[in-house]
Amino acid sequence: MEIDSQSKKLFFSNWGVDALDDEDATSAKNKTSVITQLVVEGRRLLFTGDAGITALSHALDNMVWSSQLAQWALIQIPHHGSRRNVGPTILNRLVGTPLPPGMTRNVFAVVSTASKGDPKHPYKAVMNALTHRGVNAMATRGKTTRYAYNAPCRWGWNAVVSDQYYWVYEDEK
């Protein structure tokens, strides 16, 4: 649902309803981004660069047969969490359909963003769409992050906290 208040659009989220579309509106340059999947100890890690929906779809077509038994562990969301690079259909293919509130899939998604960069990244509807699917999603906001599986705790390193759910947000176009 959206409300236009003096040329400022406010969006009100409904749990499980994605405010994204499936149009692959990313640039030709971004459509050629390299997508890399690593499978380590039965856990899948996906690095997407700035790939768009079409590129992600082609990559998933080729990944399915090569790693059916590996579980998703880490997914880097393309292009700083832009609304042009992911949509509901590709997210459903990647991690599954929306879940009831509070349920998770034990999948971690990271969105690489600048600390004081473009305020539209990450796009809040993208973060909400990931949360709808039970993904623990966070934006770096200029901070260095690391993913460790079964690694001991280290001094100076902290657990990553998922981003909040955005119930109301301004238009980010």
Side-chain angles (χ1 to χ4, degrees):
M1 176 180 176
E2 66 182 81
I3 294 178
D4 191 352
S5 174
Q6 299 172 10
S7 76
K8 184 188 290 187
K9 287 187 179 179
L10 290 179
F11 289 86
F12 296 86
S13 298
N14 293 316
W15 184 267
V17 177
D18 297 324
L20 299 172
D21 60 49
D22 287 320
E23 182 181 343
D24 190 358
T26 190
S27 71
K29 182 179 176 181
N30 287 348
K31 289 178 182 179
T32 62
S33 286
V34 172
I35 299 171
T36 304
Q37 174 188 236
L38 302 174
V39 178
V40 180
E41 296 182 14
R43 299 174 62 78
R44 295 165 75 176
L45 302 107
L46 183 67
F47 303 93
T48 62
D50 287 342
I53 292 170
T54 303
L56 289 170
S57 183
H58 289 305
L60 286 174
D61 291 344
N62 290 298
M63 283 187 244
V64 171
W65 65 267
S66 67
S67 55
Q68 290 180 12
L69 300 178
Q71 298 295 315
W72 284 118
L74 173 72
I75 300 169
Q76 176 261 320
I77 303 304
H79 196 96
H80 317 292
S82 171
R83 64 183 169 80
R84 293 181 179 93
N85 296 70
V86 296
T89 302
I90 198 69
L91 290 175
N92 288 346
R93 274 190 73 193
L94 188 60
V95 293
T97 59
L99 298 172
M103 292 188 69
T104 64
R105 285 198 160 91
N106 201 26
V107 176
F108 180 71
V110 64
V111 179
S112 179
T113 59
S115 60
K116 295 180 182 176
D118 190 342
K120 69 181 180 181
H121 290 130
Y123 193 60
K124 291 171 181 63
V126 170
M127 300 305 280
N128 282 357
L130 292 163
T131 304
H132 293 160
R133 288 162 178 78
V135 173
N136 297 313
M138 65 82 61
T140 60
R141 292 184 178 81
K143 295 180 183 171
T144 301
T145 60
R146 74 173 174 101
Y147 175 81
Y149 176 69
N150 284 340
C153 292
R154 292 177 56 190
W155 182 84
W157 292 88
N158 297 312
V160 173
V161 177
S162 296
D163 272 31
Q164 67 177 346
Y165 188 80
Y166 299 97
W167 292 102
V168 178
Y169 56 93
E170 291 182 23
D171 182 19
E172 300 160 312
K173 294 181 182 181

